Amino acid sequence: MQAYVTQDDNLIGTLTVRETISYSAGLRLPDEKPVSEKHALVESTIVEMGLQDCANTVIGNWHLRGISGGEKKRLSIALEILMRPKLLFLDEPTTGLDSASAFFVTQTLRALSRGGRTVIASIHQPSSEVFELFDQLYLLSGGKTVYFGQASEACEFFAQAGFPCPALRNPSDHFLRCVNSDFDKVKTSFKGSMKLLIERNDDPLDKVTTAEAMHTLIDCYHTSHYYYSAKEKIEEKSKIKGMVLDSRGSQASFFTQAFILTKRSFVNMSRDFGYYWLRLGIYIMVTLSIGTIYMNVGTGYSSILARGGCIAFVFGFVTFMAIGSFPSFVEDMKVFQRERLNGHYGVAAFVVSNTLSAMPFLILITLISGTICYFMVRLHPGFSHYLYFLLCLYASVAVVESLMMAIATVVPNFLMGIITGAGIQGIFMLVSGYLRLPNDIPKPFWRYPMTYISFHYWAVQGECQNDIEGLVFDNQTPDLPKIPGEFILENIFQINLRRSKWVNLSVIFSMIIIYRIIFFMMIKINEDVAPSVHGCITRRRIQRRKGNQNTSVGVTQSPSPGPCDRSC
């Protein structure tokens, strides 16, 4: 079994270290495994990674102070060694850490390797103390092997190749200095300046370019005993027959994954102040403003347009505020992508859990804010009308959340995602049938199909029927007959009364399902199709670079004899 630890520590900041590992264990371990054994495995992993002191500390986010960067990295490693993999890959595990934290993390990895695991890590600018902890070193430059062997013998190899490591230089810095062409650009940029006067003349690297040094090192490696020793080991290992390692992924059932993910997501949403609680406060403030402006709207002649304006604002702007949860969605997607790399759970379980965990908060928001608005404005009285208003408001907010989740799979940047979501909803509001009456909307594209795609259209139409139908309004003057609500709906708001308001509501609920299916499909496309597309694009770029290099070589060749030719 193998596992992979990413460079970025994408973790849920509201959970504690112990909770994070416990939820991961529940998501991946078999259902039939006793709870006591799962708990013991979690505790042993905490001890193995040296996380005892911070086990009950939250990881931390924008409003919660949490654990340090080194502890986050060890927690990321702990999540992947839960299943006791034989092969562990890590992408720059010391990036962004101070020297002490980097040493602690590397020391932990060394301890893991001594426990029967193979640990392979790319390392970013290690200190001399960190470098000494590695057993083997595989040095690459431009995709070519410069050295592969014991890390302790690398300095000897470079010295034999003519590039000895100076006494006071970090070996890893010296190796990178020999194979990284960026140093040539630095030397060229300072050429002719006063800084060249203080360059060391006894350093062999000052007399050759990086390309020349790299060519010499590659040639020396292919003629050294390190190369033949590595080749012999590879041939020896390739003859051993065994099972192919795989990530195995989760061994828990779909229902267990969905339940644990729902529980974890609910805990995160309840603890994160910016996820729903801040929105609840804003919703209360806005609906109080609506209630005071449209207080006891009544059934006078002026209240006809007032009711329509109130409904259009509630199902336009109030539902529009649901895009505020997009930054939290993006953070959830980052955690999901990290966990999917090692098969912690399935896509379907994630989509279902995200939907279920958000329901209580959306119900709470719509219940409180909707009740304030309904009774302060005094919309159409009656429990069935009140219930319809709440259901319509809940469905509209849930549609916006589902839409933003689908956008989060395509636009991972939260600023671009909010702009995209705001633009889409702005277009939907334009064709909602209030700012421009349905019969006046241009039929090509805007009336068909945009009007029917917009959930605002169905929400405004349904709530106008729910509120105005059955009421009787005063006319402009008392001597004129009263105006029935049905007449207003058909002739002023151009609403088709032959379509039931419950049909409008069912269309909005169906949009929730459709957007969640789109969300699921976009994740699967990103997992299955996107890597193939990126691979194809990368191969074409490599082929173009090779073609350009061959072309440039052909152009720069000179018919005049070079120094070597003249010497012959």
Side-chain angles (χ1 to χ4, degrees), residues 1-2 86-87 238 240-248:
M1 183 178 176
Q2 60 186 0
K86 294 296 183 183
L87 186 58
S238 62
I240 301 175
K241 294 183 179 181
M243 297 180 64
V244 178
L245 288 175
D246 66 290
S247 59
R248 291 179 66 185

Side-chain angles (χ1 to χ4, degrees), residues 105-403:
V105 169
T106 311
Q107 186 97 30
T108 305
L109 294 175
R110 183 181 176 89
L112 291 177
S113 67
R114 296 299 182 266
R117 300 184 183 92
T118 300
V119 179
I120 301 175
S122 60
I123 197 72
H124 174 73
Q125 201 173 359
S127 64
S128 56
E129 291 83 2
V130 170
F131 180 76
E132 290 176 356
L133 294 176
F134 285 92
D135 299 317
Q136 301 282 332
L137 174 65
Y138 188 27
L139 189 61
L140 291 168
S141 180
K144 297 180 181 179
T145 303
V146 177
Y147 175 78
F148 182 33
Q150 293 289 329
S152 57
E153 298 178 4
C155 289
E156 180 183 350
F157 166 76
F158 274 76
Q160 292 174 355
F163 303 100
C165 179
L168 300 179
R169 182 180 292 176
N170 183 352
S172 62
D173 291 339
H174 177 69
F175 302 153
L176 292 177
R177 173 69 178 83
C178 293
V179 300
N180 192 342
S181 60
D182 291 340
F183 287 97
D184 285 344
K185 298 176 184 178
V186 175
K187 284 176 23 177
T188 303
S189 64
F190 288 122
K191 189 173 182 179
S193 67
M194 293 299 294
K195 294 191 176 185
L196 281 177
L197 297 176
I198 60 174
E199 283 188 342
R200 294 182 51 176
N201 294 326
D202 57 341
D203 192 343
L205 294 174
D206 294 334
K207 302 174 184 178
V208 297
T209 63
T210 302
E212 294 172 340
M214 188 176 67
H215 182 72
T216 302
L217 288 167
I218 292 173
D219 289 343
C220 290
Y221 173 72
H222 282 90
T223 58
S224 67
H225 72 277
Y226 302 105
Y227 171 76
Y228 292 106
S229 175
K231 187 176 181 181
E232 182 181 348
K233 289 181 180 179
I234 292 172
E235 292 177 351
E236 180 183 347
K237 298 292 184 183
S238 62
K239 294 178 182 178
I240 301 175
K241 294 183 179 181
M243 297 180 64
V244 178
L245 288 175
D246 66 290
S247 59
R248 291 179 66 185
S250 174
Q251 299 178 37
S253 65
F254 168 80
F255 294 103
T256 300
Q257 292 178 10
F259 173 75
I260 293 177
L261 283 173
T262 302
K263 182 180 178 182
R264 186 180 74 173
S265 182
F266 181 83
V267 171
N268 177 40
M269 292 174 179
S270 62
R271 293 179 182 176
D272 191 341
F273 175 74
Y275 215 122
Y276 284 112
W277 300 121
L278 179 62
R279 285 171 55 192
L280 175 61
I282 299 298
Y283 269 76
I284 292 174
M285 183 183 70
V286 171
T287 49
L288 282 173
S289 302
I290 296 172
T292 53
I293 291 174
Y294 293 96
M295 176 74 75
N296 194 12
V297 69
T299 56
Y301 183 77
S302 62
S303 67
I304 296 174
L305 292 180
R307 286 177 180 268
C310 177
I311 292 170
F313 185 85
V314 168
F315 292 96
F317 180 76
V318 174
T319 57
F320 179 87
M321 292 192 300
I323 68 173
S325 60
F326 186 79
S328 300
F329 292 160
V330 173
E331 295 302 316
D332 288 346
M333 287 302 300
K334 290 179 181 179
V335 175
F336 166 76
Q337 290 166 358
R338 176 187 62 79
E339 293 175 331
R340 276 292 290 170
L341 284 174
N342 291 294
H344 289 198
Y345 45 82
V347 178
F350 173 71
V351 174
V352 170
S353 66
N354 184 272
T355 304
L356 295 177
S357 59
M359 283 181 63
F361 297 97
L362 295 182
I363 291 173
L364 181 65
I365 288 174
T366 54
L367 179 63
I368 296 176
S369 59
T371 301
I372 293 172
C373 179
Y374 182 86
F375 287 104
M376 288 187 71
V377 179
R378 292 194 180 180
L379 297 174
H380 197 135
F383 179 75
S384 63
H385 296 280
Y386 168 66
L387 179 63
Y388 183 93
F389 178 75
L390 293 182
L391 288 174
C392 194
L393 183 59
Y394 167 80
S396 300
V397 174
V399 165
V400 176
E401 289 222 339
S402 301
L403 172 63

Side-chain angles (χ1 to χ4, degrees), residues 538-568:
T538 302
R539 286 192 293 269
R540 288 184 179 181
R541 287 178 179 175
I542 293 173
Q543 290 174 357
R544 287 177 184 175
R545 287 178 182 176
K546 289 182 178 179
N548 293 335
Q549 289 175 358
N550 294 335
T551 304
S552 62
V553 169
V555 171
T556 55
Q557 284 178 346
S558 174
S560 59
C564 293
D565 296 330
R566 286 195 293 267
S567 64
C568 293

